[in-house]
Amino acid sequence: MTLTAPSPTPPTDDLDLPATMRALVKHHAGEGLAYDDARPRPTVGPLDVLIRVKKAGICGTDRHIWLWDDWAASRIPVGIVTGHEFAGVVAAVGDAVTKFEVGQRVSAEGHITAGVDYNSRTGNAHIARDTKILGVDRDGIFADYVAVPESNVWPIHPDIPDRIAATFDPLGNAVHTVMAADVSAKSVLISGVGIIGLMAVTVARAAGAARIYCTDINPPRLELAKKLGAHAAFDAREGNDWIDTIRRETRDEGVDVLLEMSGAPKAMDQGFHALRNGGTAALLGLPARSVDFDFNANIIFKGCTVLGINGRRMWQTWYQMEDLLLSGKLELDEIITHEFPIERYKEAFETMISGEGIKVLLDLE
Ligand code: ZN
């Protein structure tokens, strides 16, 4: 069954803004996205902030949507505007909006909840059961304009440039994972150094990790992980000797913390092997399907703590991320590798999907 988004209706407001806009739309149940240069601009509800998008990041999620894999086919309504990582400027505000004004630089938390369920009301809105995600469940930000509830809008600090602010979403995933696991003065293994894994290296270093190890199956990414502050980086395809190396360097105990960023079953198993008894594992990587996993050896007898990490805490993670960025300790320049105008979106996606680019941005200026 293919999910279909309701067709967009032209705005009926009297805002002094164009009625149509550029957008990347999931136009059919198959590979690719379509460029639409006359998509109706979103209308602005009383509690909405209308944002003129300036820079957008292409995420692993967008890659799934582009490739139209099983997950995308089961989740994404055909016809929506995709994309969720962005920086922009407020273009208009609804009548009841009080915290933002036109011209302000903003980004937004892409996980939108009505705020009425148990977790939303107890400080855990990032795991609300009614979460709708920008560019996944509702129109996203690969477009000139996006309407977002005021409660999800985040003001961008004047010292943080748009190209960095466009990565708040994945950087926030990395910050959330690192901070949840409490890495200060501890040895840390990051399994999987894709975009968020690499971000986690620089975040863990800034957060005071004593020693950072990385694994992946991509040698250039492993080299970059070392440049960003990893003490050692291992190719996981080359056996399990690296686990012995880690043990030798950690009093024969294993690492204090595992940050699992790959979702690869083998990496998960290796990572838990390298974790010391009583350690903490924070899991962010998503396995493609159910995993055969040794709970006895890896969790129960090990007495470890396992944390599932989803999204970003609202707004604790965002404040932590801002402070880390303003500290000047995060190194993101080599992670944000490419930028293309939105019209060249095909090249941008190819650069990201081929692995040539790490974080690839779209420019909508
Ligand atoms: Zn993302």
Side-chain angles (χ1 to χ4, degrees):
M1 190 192 75
T2 302
L3 302 169
T4 313
S7 20
T9 49
T12 51
D13 51 48
D14 54 4
L15 294 173
D16 188 18
L17 296 169
T20 61
M21 62 178 189
R22 300 172 294 174
L24 296 182
V25 177
K26 187 71 218 185
H27 59 309
H28 76 309
E31 197 173 312
L33 294 175
Y35 177 79
D36 182 351
D37 64 359
R39 174 91 174 180
R41 167 174 60 73
T43 46
V44 190
L47 284 165
D48 285 342
V49 174
L50 185 71
I51 303 166
R52 170 71 173 87
V53 178
K54 298 287 186 183
K55 285 200 200 305
I58 302 178
C59 178
T61 303
D62 302 315
R63 178 172 182 253
H64 290 291
I65 298 171
W66 177 280
L67 297 173
W68 202 246
D69 58 14
D70 291 347
W71 172 82
S74 71
R75 175 78 182 257
I76 308 298
V78 168
I80 67 162
V81 175
T82 59
H84 56 273
E85 304 176 357
F86 76 107
V89 172
V90 175
V93 294
D95 292 341
V97 168
T98 57
K99 295 204 266 313
F100 295 94
E101 54 189 43
V102 172
Q104 210 174 341
R105 292 172 66 233
V106 292
S107 183
E109 168 55 57
H111 289 202
I112 295 168
T113 152
V116 295
D117 77 326
Y118 176 85
N119 280 306
S120 295
R121 291 167 63 85
T122 53
N124 291 305
H126 62 296
I127 47 170
R129 64 184 154 78
D130 65 338
T131 299
K132 297 267 181 284
I133 304 179
L134 279 182
V136 170
D137 303 304
R138 53 183 274 164
D139 276 348
I141 57 77
F142 289 152
D144 285 318
Y145 295 94
V146 64
V148 180
E150 174 181 31
S151 54
N152 275 67
V153 180
W154 174 261
I156 302 172
H157 190 284
D159 292 345
I160 299 176
D162 284 352
R163 64 189 294 272
I164 301 292
T167 70
F168 278 163
D169 183 280
L171 182 61
N173 287 142
V175 171
H176 184 185
T177 313
V178 169
M179 299 312 276
D182 183 16
V183 301
S184 172
K186 290 180 178 167
S187 55
V188 178
L189 169 61
I190 298 172
S191 52
V193 281
I195 299 166
I196 298 173
L198 288 169
M199 288 173 163
V201 174
T202 186
V203 171
R205 187 160 173 112
R211 191 173 279 272
I212 300 168
Y213 301 96
C214 294
T215 61
D216 203 287
I217 54 172
N218 180 327
R221 299 276 170 105
L222 289 168
E223 278 312 305
L224 180 52
K226 281 202 266 185
K227 266 177 96 173
L228 296 174
H231 298 82
F234 306 103
D235 191 323
R237 293 168 301 188
E238 293 167 6
N240 284 346
D241 288 354
W242 59 270
I243 299 178
D244 298 329
T245 306
I246 287 180
R247 285 237 173 79
R248 270 197 304 280
E249 295 182 7
T250 52
R251 307 179 195 92
D252 290 327
E253 301 280 358
V255 290
D256 300 306
V257 171
L258 165 65
L259 307 179
E260 211 305 297
M261 302 280 182
S262 74
K266 187 171 172 212
M268 297 174 103
D269 186 59
Q270 288 176 326
F272 275 89
H273 268 91
L275 182 67
R276 73 163 162 80
N277 288 358
T280 298
L283 313 186
L284 182 82
L286 299 174
R289 55 193 66 82
S290 300
V291 172
D292 189 15
F293 186 77
D294 185 348
F295 277 81
N296 298 7
N298 286 338
I299 296 180
I300 300 167
F301 288 114
K302 198 164 269 243
C304 65
T305 302
V306 179
L307 307 169
I309 307 292
N310 180 6
R312 296 142 299 278
R313 298 192 67 90
M314 288 163 259
W315 293 87
Q316 183 190 36
T317 304
W318 290 76
Y319 285 112
Q320 290 168 332
M321 175 162 57
E322 183 172 277
D323 284 336
L324 284 166
L325 283 167
L326 295 177
S327 78
K329 288 182 183 159
L330 299 188
E331 292 179 41
L332 300 169
D333 286 347
E334 289 188 70
I335 299 175
I336 306 168
T337 55
H338 293 76
E339 194 170 321
F340 294 90
I342 188 170
E343 288 79 6
R344 287 168 61 196
Y345 69 100
K346 281 187 184 153
E347 257 174 285
F349 270 84
E350 277 159 18
T351 303
M352 191 269 185
I353 290 170
S354 69
E356 182 200 337
I358 303 175
K359 178 52 75 183
V360 177
L361 302 182
L362 295 173
D363 192 329
L364 293 101
E365 294 278 358

